[in-house]
Short mmCIF file of all heavy atoms in Angstrom, two decimals:
data_model
loop_
_atom_site.label_atom_id
_atom_site.label_comp_id
_atom_site.label_asym_id
_atom_site.label_seq_id
_atom_site.Cartn_x
_atom_site.Cartn_y
_atom_site.Cartn_z
N ILE X 1 -200.48 9.33 27.18
CA ILE X 1 -201.26 9.83 26.06
C ILE X 1 -201.98 8.64 25.44
O ILE X 1 -201.37 7.62 25.12
CB ILE X 1 -200.36 10.51 25.02
CG1 ILE X 1 -199.71 11.76 25.62
CG2 ILE X 1 -201.15 10.87 23.75
CD1 ILE X 1 -198.61 12.35 24.75
N PHE X 2 -203.30 8.76 25.27
CA PHE X 2 -204.10 7.64 24.78
C PHE X 2 -204.68 7.88 23.39
O PHE X 2 -205.23 6.94 22.79
CB PHE X 2 -205.24 7.35 25.76
CG PHE X 2 -204.75 6.98 27.14
CD1 PHE X 2 -204.73 7.92 28.16
CD2 PHE X 2 -204.29 5.70 27.41
CE1 PHE X 2 -204.27 7.59 29.43
CE2 PHE X 2 -203.83 5.36 28.68
CZ PHE X 2 -203.82 6.30 29.68
N SER X 3 -204.59 9.09 22.89
CA SER X 3 -205.08 9.37 21.55
C SER X 3 -204.24 10.48 20.93
O SER X 3 -203.62 11.28 21.64
CB SER X 3 -206.55 9.77 21.57
OG SER X 3 -206.74 11.00 22.24
N LEU X 4 -204.21 10.51 19.61
CA LEU X 4 -203.47 11.52 18.87
C LEU X 4 -204.39 12.18 17.87
O LEU X 4 -205.17 11.50 17.19
CB LEU X 4 -202.28 10.90 18.14
CG LEU X 4 -201.16 10.29 18.99
CD1 LEU X 4 -200.16 9.58 18.08
CD2 LEU X 4 -200.48 11.34 19.84
N ASN X 5 -204.28 13.50 17.77
CA ASN X 5 -204.99 14.26 16.75
C ASN X 5 -203.96 14.73 15.72
O ASN X 5 -202.96 15.34 16.09
CB ASN X 5 -205.71 15.46 17.37
CG ASN X 5 -206.47 16.27 16.35
OD1 ASN X 5 -205.88 17.05 15.59
ND2 ASN X 5 -207.77 16.10 16.30
N ILE X 6 -204.21 14.42 14.47
CA ILE X 6 -203.22 14.69 13.42
C ILE X 6 -202.81 16.15 13.39
O ILE X 6 -201.62 16.48 13.36
CB ILE X 6 -203.77 14.28 12.03
CG1 ILE X 6 -204.11 12.79 12.01
CG2 ILE X 6 -202.74 14.60 10.94
CD1 ILE X 6 -202.96 11.88 12.27
N GLY X 7 -203.78 17.05 13.42
CA GLY X 7 -203.47 18.47 13.34
C GLY X 7 -202.61 18.95 14.50
O GLY X 7 -201.68 19.74 14.32
N ASP X 8 -202.91 18.45 15.70
CA ASP X 8 -202.15 18.87 16.88
C ASP X 8 -200.75 18.27 16.90
O ASP X 8 -199.80 18.91 17.35
CB ASP X 8 -202.89 18.45 18.16
CG ASP X 8 -204.20 19.20 18.33
OD1 ASP X 8 -204.35 20.28 17.72
OD2 ASP X 8 -205.08 18.71 19.06
N CYS X 9 -200.63 17.05 16.43
CA CYS X 9 -199.35 16.31 16.50
C CYS X 9 -198.21 17.02 15.78
O CYS X 9 -197.08 17.02 16.25
CB CYS X 9 -199.50 14.93 15.88
SG CYS X 9 -200.37 13.77 16.89
N LEU X 10 -198.51 17.59 14.65
CA LEU X 10 -197.46 18.07 13.75
C LEU X 10 -196.65 19.22 14.32
O LEU X 10 -195.57 19.51 13.84
CB LEU X 10 -198.08 18.47 12.41
CG LEU X 10 -198.69 17.31 11.61
CD1 LEU X 10 -199.46 17.85 10.41
CD2 LEU X 10 -197.60 16.34 11.16
N THR X 11 -197.16 19.86 15.35
CA THR X 11 -196.46 21.00 15.93
C THR X 11 -195.72 20.66 17.22
O THR X 11 -195.16 21.54 17.86
CB THR X 11 -197.46 22.14 16.23
OG1 THR X 11 -198.43 21.69 17.19
CG2 THR X 11 -198.18 22.58 14.96
N LYS X 12 -195.73 19.37 17.60
CA LYS X 12 -195.18 18.98 18.89
C LYS X 12 -194.20 17.82 18.74
O LYS X 12 -194.21 17.09 17.75
CB LYS X 12 -196.32 18.54 19.83
CG LYS X 12 -197.38 19.61 20.06
CD LYS X 12 -198.53 19.04 20.87
CE LYS X 12 -199.65 20.05 21.05
NZ LYS X 12 -200.81 19.48 21.75
N ALA X 13 -193.38 17.64 19.79
CA ALA X 13 -192.55 16.43 19.88
C ALA X 13 -193.47 15.23 20.08
O ALA X 13 -194.54 15.36 20.65
CB ALA X 13 -191.60 16.56 21.07
N PRO X 14 -193.06 14.07 19.58
CA PRO X 14 -191.80 13.76 18.90
C PRO X 14 -191.85 13.97 17.39
O PRO X 14 -190.95 13.53 16.68
CB PRO X 14 -191.62 12.28 19.22
CG PRO X 14 -193.02 11.74 19.23
CD PRO X 14 -193.87 12.84 19.83
N PHE X 15 -192.89 14.63 16.91
CA PHE X 15 -193.09 14.75 15.46
C PHE X 15 -192.41 15.98 14.87
O PHE X 15 -192.40 16.17 13.65
CB PHE X 15 -194.58 14.76 15.14
CG PHE X 15 -195.32 13.64 15.80
CD1 PHE X 15 -196.10 13.86 16.93
CD2 PHE X 15 -195.21 12.35 15.31
CE1 PHE X 15 -196.76 12.81 17.55
CE2 PHE X 15 -195.86 11.30 15.92
CZ PHE X 15 -196.63 11.53 17.04
N ARG X 16 -191.84 16.82 15.72
CA ARG X 16 -191.20 18.05 15.28
C ARG X 16 -189.96 18.29 16.13
O ARG X 16 -189.99 18.11 17.35
CB ARG X 16 -192.17 19.22 15.42
CG ARG X 16 -191.62 20.58 15.00
CD ARG X 16 -192.64 21.66 15.35
NE ARG X 16 -192.17 22.98 14.93
CZ ARG X 16 -192.51 23.56 13.79
NH1 ARG X 16 -193.31 22.95 12.95
NH2 ARG X 16 -192.06 24.76 13.48
N ASN X 17 -188.87 18.69 15.49
CA ASN X 17 -187.64 19.01 16.21
C ASN X 17 -187.11 20.34 15.67
O ASN X 17 -186.46 20.41 14.63
CB ASN X 17 -186.59 17.92 16.03
CG ASN X 17 -185.36 18.16 16.87
OD1 ASN X 17 -185.16 19.25 17.40
ND2 ASN X 17 -184.50 17.15 16.99
N ASP X 18 -187.40 21.40 16.40
CA ASP X 18 -186.99 22.74 15.96
C ASP X 18 -185.48 22.92 15.98
O ASP X 18 -184.94 23.74 15.24
CB ASP X 18 -187.65 23.81 16.85
CG ASP X 18 -189.14 23.92 16.60
OD1 ASP X 18 -189.56 23.63 15.46
OD2 ASP X 18 -189.88 24.27 17.53
N ALA X 19 -184.80 22.14 16.83
CA ALA X 19 -183.35 22.28 16.95
C ALA X 19 -182.63 21.93 15.66
O ALA X 19 -181.55 22.46 15.36
CB ALA X 19 -182.83 21.40 18.09
N ILE X 20 -183.22 21.04 14.87
CA ILE X 20 -182.61 20.67 13.58
C ILE X 20 -183.51 21.09 12.41
O ILE X 20 -183.29 20.66 11.28
CB ILE X 20 -182.30 19.16 13.51
CG1 ILE X 20 -183.57 18.32 13.68
CG2 ILE X 20 -181.26 18.77 14.55
CD1 ILE X 20 -183.37 16.84 13.41
N SER X 21 -184.54 21.87 12.72
CA SER X 21 -185.46 22.38 11.69
C SER X 21 -186.08 21.25 10.88
O SER X 21 -186.11 21.29 9.64
CB SER X 21 -184.74 23.37 10.76
OG SER X 21 -184.22 24.45 11.49
N ARG X 22 -186.57 20.24 11.59
CA ARG X 22 -187.20 19.10 10.93
C ARG X 22 -188.55 18.80 11.58
O ARG X 22 -188.70 18.93 12.80
CB ARG X 22 -186.32 17.85 11.00
CG ARG X 22 -185.06 17.91 10.15
CD ARG X 22 -185.39 17.88 8.66
NE ARG X 22 -184.19 17.78 7.84
CZ ARG X 22 -183.44 18.81 7.46
NH1 ARG X 22 -183.78 20.04 7.84
NH2 ARG X 22 -182.38 18.63 6.70
N SER X 23 -189.50 18.37 10.75
CA SER X 23 -190.79 17.91 11.26
C SER X 23 -191.39 16.98 10.22
O SER X 23 -191.06 17.05 9.03
CB SER X 23 -191.74 19.08 11.54
OG SER X 23 -192.06 19.75 10.35
N LEU X 24 -192.25 16.11 10.68
CA LEU X 24 -192.99 15.26 9.75
C LEU X 24 -194.03 16.09 9.02
O LEU X 24 -194.60 17.02 9.59
CB LEU X 24 -193.70 14.14 10.51
CG LEU X 24 -192.84 13.03 11.12
CD1 LEU X 24 -193.71 12.09 11.96
CD2 LEU X 24 -192.12 12.24 10.04
N THR X 25 -194.27 15.76 7.77
CA THR X 25 -195.42 16.33 7.08
C THR X 25 -196.66 15.53 7.47
O THR X 25 -196.56 14.43 8.03
CB THR X 25 -195.23 16.24 5.55
OG1 THR X 25 -195.18 14.85 5.17
CG2 THR X 25 -193.95 16.94 5.12
N GLU X 26 -197.81 16.08 7.17
CA GLU X 26 -199.04 15.33 7.46
C GLU X 26 -199.05 14.00 6.71
O GLU X 26 -199.43 12.97 7.26
CB GLU X 26 -200.26 16.17 7.06
CG GLU X 26 -201.58 15.45 7.34
CD GLU X 26 -202.79 16.31 7.03
OE1 GLU X 26 -202.62 17.51 6.77
OE2 GLU X 26 -203.91 15.77 7.04
N GLU X 27 -198.58 14.03 5.48
CA GLU X 27 -198.54 12.80 4.68
C GLU X 27 -197.61 11.76 5.31
O GLU X 27 -197.95 10.57 5.37
CB GLU X 27 -198.08 13.13 3.26
CG GLU X 27 -198.44 12.07 2.22
CD GLU X 27 -199.93 12.02 1.95
OE1 GLU X 27 -200.59 13.07 1.94
OE2 GLU X 27 -200.42 10.89 1.75
N SER X 28 -196.46 12.21 5.80
CA SER X 28 -195.51 11.28 6.42
C SER X 28 -196.08 10.70 7.71
O SER X 28 -195.94 9.50 7.98
CB SER X 28 -194.19 12.00 6.71
OG SER X 28 -193.57 12.42 5.52
N LEU X 29 -196.72 11.55 8.52
CA LEU X 29 -197.31 11.06 9.76
C LEU X 29 -198.40 10.05 9.48
O LEU X 29 -198.49 9.02 10.15
CB LEU X 29 -197.87 12.24 10.57
CG LEU X 29 -198.56 11.88 11.89
CD1 LEU X 29 -197.66 11.06 12.80
CD2 LEU X 29 -199.03 13.14 12.60
N LEU X 30 -199.22 10.31 8.47
CA LEU X 30 -200.27 9.36 8.11
C LEU X 30 -199.67 8.04 7.66
O LEU X 30 -200.21 6.97 7.98
CB LEU X 30 -201.17 9.95 7.02
CG LEU X 30 -202.13 11.06 7.48
CD1 LEU X 30 -202.77 11.74 6.27
CD2 LEU X 30 -203.21 10.48 8.39
N THR X 31 -198.57 8.09 6.92
CA THR X 31 -197.90 6.85 6.49
C THR X 31 -197.46 6.03 7.70
O THR X 31 -197.66 4.81 7.74
CB THR X 31 -196.68 7.19 5.62
OG1 THR X 31 -197.12 7.84 4.42
CG2 THR X 31 -195.90 5.93 5.25
N ILE X 32 -196.89 6.69 8.69
CA ILE X 32 -196.44 6.01 9.91
C ILE X 32 -197.62 5.43 10.67
O ILE X 32 -197.60 4.26 11.11
CB ILE X 32 -195.63 6.98 10.79
CG1 ILE X 32 -194.32 7.38 10.10
CG2 ILE X 32 -195.34 6.36 12.16
CD1 ILE X 32 -193.65 8.59 10.70
N LEU X 33 -198.67 6.23 10.83
CA LEU X 33 -199.82 5.77 11.59
C LEU X 33 -200.57 4.64 10.87
O LEU X 33 -201.10 3.72 11.51
CB LEU X 33 -200.76 6.94 11.88
CG LEU X 33 -200.20 8.01 12.83
CD1 LEU X 33 -201.20 9.16 12.98
CD2 LEU X 33 -199.86 7.41 14.19
N GLN X 34 -200.58 4.68 9.55
CA GLN X 34 -201.19 3.59 8.80
C GLN X 34 -200.43 2.29 9.05
O GLN X 34 -201.03 1.21 9.18
CB GLN X 34 -201.22 3.93 7.31
CG GLN X 34 -202.28 4.96 6.94
CD GLN X 34 -202.12 5.49 5.53
OE1 GLN X 34 -201.11 5.26 4.87
NE2 GLN X 34 -203.10 6.25 5.08
N GLU X 35 -199.11 2.38 9.12
CA GLU X 35 -198.31 1.20 9.42
C GLU X 35 -198.58 0.71 10.84
O GLU X 35 -198.69 -0.50 11.08
CB GLU X 35 -196.82 1.52 9.25
CG GLU X 35 -195.89 0.37 9.59
CD GLU X 35 -196.10 -0.86 8.73
OE1 GLU X 35 -196.49 -0.72 7.56
OE2 GLU X 35 -195.88 -1.98 9.24
N MET X 36 -198.71 1.64 11.78
CA MET X 36 -199.01 1.27 13.16
C MET X 36 -200.39 0.62 13.26
O MET X 36 -200.60 -0.29 14.07
CB MET X 36 -198.92 2.49 14.07
CG MET X 36 -197.50 3.00 14.26
SD MET X 36 -197.41 4.46 15.33
CE MET X 36 -197.86 3.74 16.92
N ALA X 37 -201.33 1.07 12.43
CA ALA X 37 -202.66 0.46 12.42
C ALA X 37 -202.58 -0.99 11.95
O ALA X 37 -203.24 -1.88 12.50
CB ALA X 37 -203.60 1.27 11.52
N LYS X 38 -201.74 -1.24 10.94
CA LYS X 38 -201.55 -2.62 10.45
C LYS X 38 -200.99 -3.51 11.55
O LYS X 38 -201.26 -4.71 11.59
CB LYS X 38 -200.61 -2.63 9.24
CG LYS X 38 -201.18 -1.97 7.99
CD LYS X 38 -200.13 -1.97 6.88
CE LYS X 38 -200.63 -1.23 5.65
NZ LYS X 38 -199.58 -1.16 4.59
N ARG X 39 -200.18 -2.92 12.43
CA ARG X 39 -199.55 -3.68 13.51
C ARG X 39 -200.44 -3.77 14.76
O ARG X 39 -200.03 -4.35 15.76
CB ARG X 39 -198.21 -3.04 13.89
CG ARG X 39 -197.23 -2.96 12.72
CD ARG X 39 -195.91 -2.35 13.15
NE ARG X 39 -195.00 -2.17 12.01
CZ ARG X 39 -193.70 -1.92 12.12
NH1 ARG X 39 -193.16 -1.80 13.33
NH2 ARG X 39 -192.95 -1.78 11.05
N GLY X 40 -201.62 -3.17 14.69
CA GLY X 40 -202.53 -3.22 15.82
C GLY X 40 -202.15 -2.28 16.95
O GLY X 40 -202.57 -2.48 18.09
N ARG X 41 -201.38 -1.23 16.64
CA ARG X 41 -200.91 -0.32 17.68
C ARG X 41 -201.66 1.01 17.73
O ARG X 41 -201.49 1.77 18.69
CB ARG X 41 -199.41 -0.07 17.50
CG ARG X 41 -198.56 -1.26 17.93
CD ARG X 41 -198.74 -1.50 19.42
NE ARG X 41 -198.00 -2.66 19.90
CZ ARG X 41 -197.93 -3.00 21.18
NH1 ARG X 41 -198.57 -2.29 22.08
NH2 ARG X 41 -197.26 -4.05 21.55
N ILE X 42 -202.44 1.30 16.71
CA ILE X 42 -203.37 2.43 16.78
C ILE X 42 -204.66 1.99 16.11
O ILE X 42 -204.70 1.00 15.37
CB ILE X 42 -202.84 3.72 16.11
CG1 ILE X 42 -202.69 3.57 14.59
CG2 ILE X 42 -201.53 4.17 16.74
CD1 ILE X 42 -203.73 4.28 13.78
#
């Protein structure tokens, strides 16, 4: 996978785990990706 779309990500692994009824919110995913941008990874 070479690119991520925010809207698509939130409904799929690894950003969602239906077995434990947990998923990242859009705000949480953006926080993670912003950190990855600072590290030069996105």
Side-chain angles (χ1 to χ4, degrees):
I1 295 169
F2 300 99
S3 66
L4 295 173
N5 180 283
I6 301 299
D8 293 340
C9 285
L10 294 171
T11 62
K12 302 174 183 176
F15 309 104
R16 180 186 182 96
N17 186 347
D18 289 331
I20 60 171
S21 301
R22 290 291 187 275
S23 65
L24 290 174
T25 64
E26 181 177 350
E27 200 69 37
S28 297
L29 178 55
L30 287 169
T31 296
I32 293 164
L33 293 177
Q34 286 168 349
E35 178 61 31
M36 291 179 68
K38 292 177 184 177
R39 301 181 185 195
R41 286 296 178 175
I42 66 106

